[in-house]
Amino acid sequence: MPDAPCELVTVPARHGLEAVDILRLRECVGPVLHDGAGGTLGFLVPPGTADGWDLPGSVCVPAHRRSGRPSDPPVAGTGWLVSPENAQAGTTEPARLRAALSEAARTIAAAEGGS
C-alpha cells in the first residue's frame, strides 16, 4: 500500500498539549506525534494545509503516513502521543486545530499572568 500524503503542524510541547486536550473534549483530534526530546508535538493534518498555514509559533510541512502500518510514525525520531488507533479523526481539521491552538495560547498566557 503506498504512503498516504498528509502534512504536519509542529508546535512547542506545552502549547500542543493544551490544544490536544481542547480537541479531545471536542472529539476532533487526529493523530499527534511527539519528538524524542519532548520539545515539540506534531498534528497530522490534510494535504494542502501548508498552503494557507500562517499561525505564529507553528510550522506546517509535508509528511507521508504509511497507510500499510499505521503504528509507525511518519517522521523518524518521533512517537505517538495520540496514535491513529486512538485518534477521533484520520487527521485534525486545520480550522479546528487553529482555533484550539489559539485557545491554548490564551490559556497559557492567563496561567502565566499575561493577558
Side-chain angles (χ1 to χ4, degrees):
M1 208 176 237
D3 288 350
C6 63
E7 293 181 353
L8 189 68
V9 173
T10 306
V11 299
R14 182 171 181 204
H15 197 158
L17 289 169
E18 290 285 344
V20 166
D21 287 345
I22 293 164
L23 291 165
R24 278 185 173 150
L25 287 172
R26 296 180 182 151
E27 298 183 358
C28 59
V29 68
V32 181
L33 296 168
H34 64 82
D35 68 357
T40 61
L41 295 184
F43 293 82
L44 270 62
V45 293
T49 300
D51 294 339
W53 194 263
D54 61 354
L55 191 64
S58 66
V59 176
C60 186
V61 297
H64 281 84
R65 181 173 37 188
R66 294 185 241 344
S67 49
R69 294 203 42 173
S71 62
D72 293 339
V75 178
T78 64
W80 293 114
L81 177 69
V82 179
S83 70
E85 295 82 15
N86 294 321
Q88 298 160 327
T91 57
T92 300
E93 198 276 318
R96 289 178 179 231
L97 177 57
R98 182 182 301 277
L101 289 170
S102 295
E103 186 175 336
R106 290 189 302 271
T107 301
I108 291 168
E112 294 175 347
S115 54

